[in-house]
Amino acid sequence: MIRIKEITINPIFNKAIKRLETTSIIHSDRSSWIIKIITSDGFVGYGEASPLPIFNEETFDTVGYALEGFKLALNEGNNIEIDELMILIKAHTLDVPSANFAIETAVYDILSQQKQMPLYKYLNSKALSSLYINGVYQLTDLNNYTTIKVKCGFRNLFDEIELIEGLSNKYGNKTQFIIDLNQAYDLPKAIRFFKEMEKFNITYIEQPIDRNNFEDLLELSFHTDIPIALDESINNLESIIKLLDMNCGDVFIIKPQSIGSFSDIEKAVSMVHKAHKIPIITTSLEGIIGRLSTMHISSANRIKNHCGLLMESIYEDEDSNIPNINNGILDMPKKHGLGYYK
Ligand SMILES: [Mg+2]
């Protein structure tokens, strides 16, 4: 049972410290909604909704309306059972997964603080106490990681090869690379790119071809031994079921902002495991509240491969909330709840 005293919903503008270039955009800022829930016994929970127009149909406005609708439906000051609260969240966030993710983050933040435990332990007593995470070229300090993600697909092919070659030489032959093509290529170009990458230490290459072109993504796998990761192709449980049915993709990237509810994320991870594929959880370049929540979810779902959690200050004013990372290993913080402090 929980008694909610007050809910506030505010838009924020995350201003990036460094710029990240990708196939479709140059990332320099990110808008989000922050939901803050205060209970009558004095607990405060935070959640962040940061819509992903490339993934889902939702827009910044529809997410804001969904959050306001949820707030209006609750009688502030009344007791509500947790089961009933979860049903109410689902009812108000159909087709707006980032709103679902934000409200559940705030609720679980409160519930885990009430139980005096970190959020990941509240979700799963067997949660991992440390996580492997990857650095990102152009965004993070690369010296601190053993796996580096590089956005490619928008330079000419020779420049792409030179970049990976340079990074391989600089960070040593033990360093692994994740290449993200963000749907840049058609099948012939993708085949050629994969061939050129064979000489490097590549963990996997992400979304080489259009998200909806499952046939070509499948065909590509017959031309290469490098694992293919799917990211933009995955935006709900149905898309995962369809891809698994086709046996398309080796690595499945699950983004909480795009899937929405914590229980659906758990289902997604277990479906991917059952099909003997690799599940990865990553952030969506949102602000620190969403990234912290994603970190807890990765630990609770026991993701053992490198996750893209971006646990460095990528936007202004984030420093105080960032946990320590050594050599690409993040030790899960012991603070109660989400661990977000203003
Ligand atoms: Mg990606």
Side-chain angles (χ1 to χ4, degrees):
M1 188 115 73
I2 191 169
R3 187 195 287 252
I4 292 171
K5 189 174 144 205
E6 195 190 347
I7 297 179
T8 56
I9 295 156
N10 285 303
I12 59 157
F13 183 76
N14 294 301
K15 193 166 180 304
I17 297 168
K18 295 174 187 164
R19 287 151 61 92
L20 175 68
E21 206 175 341
T22 74
T23 296
S24 49
I25 53 152
I26 293 176
H27 179 83
S28 58
D29 57 70
R30 187 65 176 274
S31 295
S32 300
W33 294 99
I34 303 297
I35 180 167
K36 178 180 175 184
I37 302 179
I38 304 171
T39 65
S40 340
D41 48 354
F43 291 99
V44 182
Y46 289 95
E48 176 176 2
S50 200
L52 280 170
I54 299 169
F55 281 69
N56 302 92
E57 302 285 312
E58 57 181 21
T59 66
F60 193 71
D61 286 344
T62 58
V63 171
Y65 295 140
L67 293 172
E68 286 295 342
F70 167 76
K71 177 186 152 116
L72 286 173
L74 273 176
N75 287 323
E76 284 164 332
N78 284 359
N79 287 328
I80 183 162
E81 295 291 342
I82 303 304
D83 291 352
E84 203 186 323
L85 182 62
M86 289 301 170
I87 292 167
L88 200 63
I89 296 171
K90 280 252 172 186
H92 283 275
T93 58
L94 289 172
D95 301 322
V96 269
S98 68
N100 190 338
F101 173 61
I103 303 171
E104 285 195 30
T105 296
V107 168
Y108 284 118
D109 186 9
I110 290 167
L111 295 176
S112 50
Q113 288 177 61
Q114 285 177 335
K115 285 272 188 290
Q116 298 190 301
M117 38 171 92
L119 177 48
Y120 61 100
K121 282 277 182 200
Y122 178 85
L123 295 173
N124 179 3
S125 60
K126 295 194 175 72
L128 298 178
S129 55
S130 62
L131 292 169
Y132 289 105
I133 67 172
N134 63 267
V136 179
Y137 173 68
Q138 286 187 326
L139 273 190
T140 64
D141 171 12
L142 299 184
N143 287 304
N144 203 13
Y145 298 92
T146 55
T147 296
I148 297 172
K149 178 164 175 167
V150 187
K151 296 276 188 183
C152 289
F154 50 91
R155 305 170 191 94
N156 81 51
L157 185 59
F158 299 102
D159 290 343
E160 305 273 32
I161 296 166
E162 212 176 277
L163 173 65
I164 306 300
E165 213 157 51
L167 292 170
S168 296
N169 293 337
K170 189 168 175 194
Y171 296 103
N173 53 13
K174 284 203 181 109
T175 301
Q176 289 279 326
F177 293 93
I178 295 167
I179 308 287
D180 192 354
L181 291 172
N182 291 111
Q183 318 181 71
Y185 293 145
D186 57 14
L187 181 60
K189 276 192 183 152
I191 291 172
R192 178 150 183 232
F193 183 85
F194 273 65
K195 282 264 171 300
E196 293 291 350
M197 290 295 120
E198 272 166 14
K199 57 177 175 279
F200 303 114
N201 291 333
I202 306 288
T203 311
Y204 55 79
I205 298 181
E206 216 173 295
Q207 203 70 51
I209 293 171
D210 183 88
R211 58 187 286 190
N212 297 314
N213 194 344
F214 296 179
E215 285 76 17
D216 282 357
L217 283 162
L218 185 61
E219 176 64 30
L220 176 62
S221 65
F222 301 117
H223 297 265
T224 181
D225 291 329
I226 299 175
I228 299 172
L230 300 173
D231 183 9
E232 285 89 338
S233 292
I234 296 169
N235 60 355
N236 52 33
L237 293 180
E238 290 69 42
S239 57
I240 298 176
I241 292 167
K242 202 170 159 194
L243 288 159
L244 291 176
D245 273 350
M246 287 182 72
N247 196 22
C248 179
D250 305 297
V251 176
F252 285 61
I253 295 174
I254 296 161
K255 286 181 150 61
Q257 292 281 4
S258 168
I259 304 290
S261 82
F262 284 39
S263 60
D264 280 356
I265 296 163
E266 200 183 317
K267 272 182 214 151
V269 170
S270 112
M271 283 194 301
V272 173
H273 269 310
K274 274 198 193 112
H276 305 288
K277 308 276 188 179
I278 297 170
I280 301 279
I281 293 180
T282 76
T283 68
S284 320
L285 276 171
E286 71 269 56
I288 191 64
I289 295 174
R291 302 204 317 276
L292 283 172
S293 179
T294 304
M295 172 188 79
H296 287 282
I297 290 172
S298 305
S299 149
N301 282 284
R302 299 178 54 81
I303 304 295
K304 293 183 177 165
N305 296 74
H306 287 78
C307 291
L309 299 180
L310 282 169
M311 278 300 152
E312 288 193 31
S313 296
I314 60 169
Y315 300 108
E316 292 169 358
D317 307 321
E318 292 188 334
D319 295 17
S320 53
N321 291 288
I322 310 271
N324 279 339
I325 296 159
N326 277 310
N327 239 347
I329 298 170
L330 178 152
D331 287 319
M332 291 299 292
K334 308 265 185 307
K335 294 185 252 186
H336 298 163
L338 180 68
Y340 171 72
Y341 303 106
K342 256 195 134 75

